[in-house]
Amino acid sequence: MKVIKDQLLATTYRDSHGEKRTLSELEGLFAQMPPEHEINQDHDRSKPTVGRMFNIRLVELEDGEHAIAADIEVFDEEAFVDGGGFSIGYASSRYTINPEELGDVGVIFNPRHFSRQEMEPLAHLSDDAFQVDIVEVKEKTGEEVLKLLLDFLTETAAAYFLTKAGEGVCRKLKSKLIEIIGRKRSEGKNVAVNLRFRVEVGGDETKVIVKVPHLQENSFEEDEVNLETVKTYIEERLGGQAKRVVLTPLSEPPYWQILHFVDTNGRSVEL
């Protein structure tokens, strides 16, 4: 087991992209971070974990610059090296029609891959029953696949989307996402969509990532592809041993396939 001590995650130095964070920006980023954090390849939580960072702290360096530092426990050294080490992502802005409340779903995107102008119309699909927010998360990754993450606030919001991709706002959201993805694909780019939500399984909360490599009009149109079958399938296969489960929908029984899960020690396990 390899442990890297005192690794700098972000600093006030100018980085390789020519960008420089102020101390205030670094403090804001640090405030967003939990005391311990899993490390995934390319910031993609649908991929197995390659390590964890802990003992995260804000420090002043000898030359007067500042940094967020942490200790890193590496689970998969080969994948960690292939990923070129690591970088951290952080939410930079949120666009919503109702800033007083978090949306039922946040559409999370990297502004290096999608423009705010093409994403803002998604927020205007909101109505009194279902709110869509768009969230810019700045991430530096060399991965060729462009990612969109739909982060659902509650089980109810996720269930609404997964019920034949919902009705009303959810159906419009799916159609608009397909339109955006179609434009990217016409430019020769590949786009993947992930859904993220939390469910209660066996009395414990489990994070769920649904990996959707190719979002289409018929995605989530099977009657059996819904939140209840997700929960039943996870409980039957894993019980309460998973902190996070990554699965993908199927068009035939059992209608879900677990790609891998993260156990209570933070390690990825493939079935």
Side-chain angles (χ1 to χ4, degrees):
M1 185 65 61
K2 181 178 180 180
V3 176
I4 304 171
K5 303 288 287 185
D6 302 319
Q7 179 66 51
L8 302 186
L9 308 179
T11 73
T12 52
Y13 293 123
R14 192 171 301 279
D15 65 18
S16 60
H17 294 266
E19 298 174 351
K20 180 176 172 62
R21 295 187 180 97
T22 65
L23 175 57
S24 177
E25 289 171 334
L26 202 67
E27 289 171 336
L29 175 55
F30 177 69
Q32 294 182 35
M33 300 181 70
E36 184 173 315
H37 197 276
E38 297 164 357
I39 302 172
N40 295 88
Q41 290 176 280
D42 301 308
H43 300 281
D44 188 345
R45 294 194 176 215
S46 71
K47 293 185 176 182
T49 56
V50 297
R52 72 180 180 99
M53 59 180 73
F54 61 100
N55 191 22
I56 302 172
R57 55 209 183 270
L58 186 63
V59 298
E60 183 175 358
L61 304 176
E62 291 182 359
D63 59 2
E65 297 288 346
H66 291 80
I68 297 173
D71 299 330
I72 307 293
E73 182 181 11
V74 181
F75 301 151
D76 185 335
E77 291 191 39
E78 183 177 349
F80 187 82
V81 172
D82 286 346
F86 57 85
S87 66
I88 55 177
Y90 60 97
S92 60
S93 66
R94 174 182 293 267
Y95 181 76
T96 176
I97 63 168
N98 181 12
E100 300 300 318
E101 296 183 6
L102 288 175
D104 297 282
V105 62
V107 182
I108 299 174
F109 68 100
N110 188 337
R112 294 178 182 273
H113 299 155
F114 301 90
S115 71
R116 185 184 176 99
Q117 289 70 30
E118 65 186 332
M119 301 303 290
E120 271 190 9
L122 300 179
H124 292 283
L125 299 175
S126 305
D127 61 19
D128 292 339
F130 197 91
Q131 180 177 319
V132 180
D133 295 349
I134 64 165
V135 184
E136 289 187 8
V137 173
K138 292 189 176 180
E139 299 171 339
K140 296 175 182 179
T141 173
E143 188 182 32
E144 294 182 358
V145 177
L146 312 186
K147 300 184 297 294
L148 289 170
L149 174 64
L150 273 61
D151 190 18
F152 294 91
L153 184 64
T154 63
E155 265 195 33
T156 301
Y160 182 48
F161 188 88
L162 288 174
T163 305
K164 289 196 172 183
E167 298 295 340
V169 173
C170 283
R171 186 164 294 279
K172 292 175 185 177
L173 175 60
K174 185 175 77 167
S175 294
K176 291 297 291 184
L177 288 172
I178 290 170
E179 180 183 315
I180 292 169
I181 291 168
R183 287 199 298 268
K184 296 297 182 184
R185 287 178 178 161
S186 70
E187 299 169 0
K189 298 172 182 174
N190 189 13
V191 182
V193 176
N194 292 333
L195 316 182
R196 181 170 68 188
F197 48 89
R198 291 173 173 81
V199 296
E200 186 175 305
V201 177
D204 296 317
E205 185 179 78
T206 301
K207 297 176 184 177
V208 177
I209 303 288
V210 176
K211 189 176 179 65
V212 190
H214 305 290
L215 185 68
Q216 303 171 29
E217 286 293 346
N218 62 355
S219 297
F220 309 111
E221 294 301 307
E222 297 282 345
D223 287 330
E224 294 82 0
V225 176
N226 56 56
L227 190 72
E228 288 307 311
T229 58
V230 167
K231 294 167 70 171
T232 299
Y233 185 63
I234 292 173
E235 186 161 19
E236 288 176 350
R237 294 298 307 276
L238 304 176
Q241 63 177 310
K243 288 174 58 179
R244 186 173 84 225
V245 180
V246 179
L247 40 71
T248 192
L250 303 174
S251 59
E252 56 187 33
Y255 297 103
W256 297 101
Q257 177 187 357
I258 294 176
L259 302 178
H260 61 89
F261 69 93
V262 177
D263 66 16
T264 53
N265 296 316
R267 297 175 181 273
S268 289
V269 179
E270 295 188 21
L271 297 181

